[in-house]
Amino acid sequence: MAGIGIKLQKIYEKKTILAYLTGFGYSAVVTVAPMFVVIGTVMLMSQLLGYENVGYARRGLFSGTLLYIFIFSLLTAAPFNAVLSRYMSDVIYEERYEDILPCYDVGLLLNILLASLLGIPFCAWEHLVGHVNLIFVFTGFCGYIALVLVFYSMLYLSICKDYQKISLYFLTGMAAALACALFFVKVCGREIVYSMLLSLTIGFFLTAVLEYATVKRYFKRNSNRYRRVFSYFGRYWKLVVINFLYTLGLYIHNFVFWNTDLQMRVADTFVFAPTYDLATCLAMFTNLSSTIIFITRVEMHFHTRYKAYSEAVIGGRWEDIKNTKDRMFRQLSAELMNLVRIQFIISTAVYLLCVVVLPQYGFSGRVMQIYPCLAAGYFILFILYAEIIFLYYFNDLTGALLATLGFCLVTWAGSMLSAGGSDLWYGMGLVAGSFTGFTIAYFRLRFMERHMDEHIFCGGQLFTVKRERMPESMVYTKKQKER
């Protein structure tokens, strides 16, 4: 997200309170605004359409469908997007812009194939076993594919530094969804739950189409070189595993509690735990500002030090390389400590606000008992995310892989153990997993600091490695004199 830094520099140059608030707001718009737009649209639909008057079973069916659409669209996009992002970055650096459309087409095909491979059997089960109406099932599947396309195209707009358009397209799509829902229910007299699902599907498709049109407008030449894209999946297979493990770790503790006494089953198909899932949502929102803070701080400060070090490596003296490296790692340490301090203050304030205010609006009982531990877990988790990004800066995929693997496995094992304990400690699996990943990533960053010179100067090859028939071993023959 190197483009955000330039914009933030211009905003913060004024050094006023209004400028700092504007910078924070801009960072929020380009990071978390789309998610809040979708949530706000669903809540507004519920208020305007009388969703609370719908039967309990129908509301559960809608909630389960929407929950599965979001979770599994993220999981199916996770294995591919990190590698495609790396390929796109290399192509842009080498100014081979004609290779971007082949990358987009390959990624689009892979995302749709994997999404369909998982979605079609589930939809068949939903209709045949759960006896859910076929039209409802098909609409939910279309919404799922549309959201996969939305998340996929967001990758390219992010690399093109067109963050404002992402938020604008989400706003446009969700405005259309709200208008469609009102039209279907108020004018056409259609059923509320299906109208909401159909309207959201239309909104997702509109957002995906707008993003697709923007990508096609930016990149018009197509080299048709598709093999290069597939070769990246072999070369950077660790990125596939890292991104998948991190995304899976975000939800694996929910999957565990979906099979406990908190479980709610709808139409013999959708299984979830509303109490635990709601506590998870509150905990995530409590610490969500860390994403905004991290992007703002890294773009404003660390990226400059990293760029100076890179320039010193390319053409500087040894003394320059050493000095810029020391300054870069000092800045990295400072950014992590600042992120922890600032986010701790914000999370504490939001936590106290939730504990005092939310019980007045019906959030009480087991939800508020589970919430504190999960809030601590997400606090550590978002710090872990910052460390993984720093490991990406240094191209340390092995360290990021070890951190995400430890995070995912310990979260799963810890959640299995904590599920048998008290409600208060249900979130200890996430706390243990996040802390494990954080610890591994921290010591890996320290390792990179001590061995940065070897990592930069000794990891390359002096000669190009080729796989072909070995040439003749004789390289010189002295010509014999004729008698």
Side-chain angles (χ1 to χ4, degrees):
M1 285 190 166
I4 299 179
I6 299 173
K7 181 70 174 179
L8 291 175
Q9 287 283 2
K10 295 179 180 178
I11 294 174
Y12 286 131
E13 278 178 356
K14 299 179 182 179
K15 296 182 178 180
T16 62
I17 296 177
L18 181 61
Y20 283 105
L21 291 175
T22 304
F24 188 84
Y26 175 79
S27 302
V29 167
V30 301
T31 51
V32 299
M35 178 178 61
F36 282 109
V37 168
V38 175
I39 294 173
T41 301
V42 174
M43 294 176 65
L44 194 57
M45 280 185 185
S46 302
Q47 291 293 326
L48 296 177
L49 302 180
Y51 178 75
E52 66 278 359
N53 298 322
V54 177
Y56 186 73
R58 291 293 290 176
R59 281 188 292 169
L61 182 61
F62 176 77
S63 301
T65 303
L66 200 60
L67 179 66
Y68 275 46
I69 284 175
F70 271 91
I71 289 180
F72 290 101
S73 59
L74 285 170
L75 284 175
T76 53
F80 307 118
N81 286 358
V83 178
L84 295 173
S85 178
R86 176 59 186 260
Y87 180 84
M88 278 272 292
S89 300
D90 291 348
V91 163
I92 292 174
Y93 177 76
E94 297 170 5
E95 298 184 355
R96 294 187 287 111
Y97 303 112
E98 67 278 4
D99 288 339
I100 292 178
L101 280 184
C103 174
Y104 185 86
D105 294 338
V106 168
L108 189 65
L109 176 64
L110 292 175
N111 271 276
I112 291 178
L113 285 178
L114 181 58
S116 300
L117 187 65
L118 296 176
I120 291 176
F122 179 84
C123 289
W125 178 274
E126 181 183 1
H127 175 64
L128 297 175
V129 178
H131 304 292
V132 180
N133 182 273
L134 185 60
I135 300 298
F136 191 96
V137 173
F138 180 73
T139 304
F141 177 76
C142 290
Y144 163 61
I145 295 296
L147 199 57
V148 169
L149 299 178
V150 168
F151 289 146
Y152 174 66
S153 296
M154 281 175 61
L155 170 69
Y156 291 82
L157 295 182
S158 298
I159 292 176
C160 295
K161 305 176 181 65
D162 220 341
Y163 312 108
Q164 296 96 324
K165 283 189 177 179
I166 295 176
S167 299
L168 177 62
Y169 292 160
F170 265 93
L171 187 62
T172 303
M174 291 302 99
L178 181 61
C180 288
L182 292 172
F183 176 77
F184 292 149
V185 176
K186 302 296 184 181
V187 179
C188 300
R190 298 295 181 181
E191 195 257 339
I192 293 175
V193 168
Y194 178 71
S195 298
M196 291 176 65
L197 181 62
L198 177 60
S199 300
L200 287 172
T201 300
I202 293 172
F204 292 149
F205 264 117
L206 177 59
T207 304
V209 168
L210 291 173
E211 292 177 344
Y212 175 80
T214 304
V215 172
K216 288 293 185 179
R217 188 170 69 248
Y218 282 154
F219 310 107
K220 299 179 180 179
R221 294 165 54 195
N222 191 334
S223 66
N224 295 315
R225 289 193 285 260
Y226 297 99
R227 289 187 177 181
R228 288 185 178 181
V229 184
F230 287 107
S231 67
Y232 263 61
F233 285 95
R235 189 185 310 175
Y236 297 106
W237 62 269
K238 291 180 181 178
L239 278 175
V240 176
V241 180
I242 291 167
N243 212 34
F244 178 74
L245 287 176
Y246 179 79
T247 308
L248 179 62
L250 290 175
Y251 302 109
I252 198 168
H253 58 106
N254 294 87
F255 298 159
V256 170
F257 282 91
W258 287 3
N259 294 285
T260 63
D261 61 334
L262 299 177
Q263 175 191 107
M264 175 180 175
R265 186 179 294 272
V266 178
D268 292 325
T269 306
F270 297 100
V271 179
F272 50 97
T275 302
Y276 188 86
D277 294 340
L278 182 56
T280 300
C281 184
L282 292 175
M284 184 184 67
F285 286 152
T286 301
N287 298 280
L288 196 59
S289 59
S290 62
T291 305
I292 306 170
I293 297 168
F294 172 72
I295 290 175
T296 304
R297 300 288 305 183
V298 170
E299 293 293 345
M300 288 288 295
H301 303 288
F302 177 76
H303 186 75
T304 303
R305 296 290 175 89
Y306 177 81
K307 183 179 179 181
Y309 172 73
S310 301
E311 291 173 348
V313 168
I314 294 172
R317 302 173 302 164
W318 172 250
E319 195 66 26
D320 297 330
I321 295 173
K322 185 177 182 302
N323 291 335
T324 53
K325 183 190 77 172
D326 293 340
R327 285 196 292 267
M328 178 180 66
F329 277 101
R330 282 199 301 269
Q331 189 68 45
L332 187 153
S333 177
E335 295 307 329
L336 281 177
M337 290 303 300
N338 285 331
L339 177 62
V340 171
R341 283 194 292 263
I342 297 172
Q343 186 55 45
F344 179 78
I345 295 172
I346 295 175
S347 296
T348 302
V350 174
Y351 170 77
L352 293 175
L353 187 65
C354 290
V355 170
V356 173
V357 175
L358 290 182
Q360 302 177 20
Y361 293 92
F363 293 87
S364 58
R366 301 184 82 175
V367 173
M368 298 309 295
Q369 287 181 337
I370 299 171
Y371 165 64
C373 203
L374 285 175
Y378 272 99
F379 174 81
I380 305 171
L381 173 58
F382 285 129
I383 307 301
L384 165 63
Y385 173 77
E387 290 182 324
I388 292 174
I389 297 300
F390 283 130
L391 290 173
Y392 279 167
Y393 264 96
F394 304 132
N395 200 31
D396 183 19
L397 301 185
T398 301
L401 177 59
L402 292 174
T404 52
L405 180 62
F407 160 59
C408 189
L409 289 179
V410 175
T411 299
W412 170 74
S415 298
M416 293 289 289
L417 292 173
S418 62
S422 171
D423 296 354
L424 188 64
W425 305 109
Y426 276 174
M428 278 305 298
L430 180 63
V431 173
S434 300
F435 185 76
T436 300
F438 168 83
T439 304
I440 295 173
Y442 172 80
F443 282 105
R444 191 69 189 188
L445 286 171
R446 293 295 304 271
F447 174 84
M448 292 299 300
E449 182 178 6
R450 293 193 299 269
H451 298 85
M452 195 65 183
D453 296 332
E454 296 94 318
H455 180 71
I456 294 296
F457 297 106
C458 302
Q461 296 173 335
L462 294 178
F463 301 99
T464 303
V465 178
K466 295 182 178 180
R467 295 183 179 275
E468 59 183 18
R469 185 182 180 86
M470 188 179 74
E472 295 291 335
S473 59
M474 184 178 295
V475 295
Y476 174 75
T477 302
K478 183 177 182 180
K479 186 177 180 180
Q480 294 183 349
K481 293 183 179 180
E482 296 181 359
R483 292 183 180 179

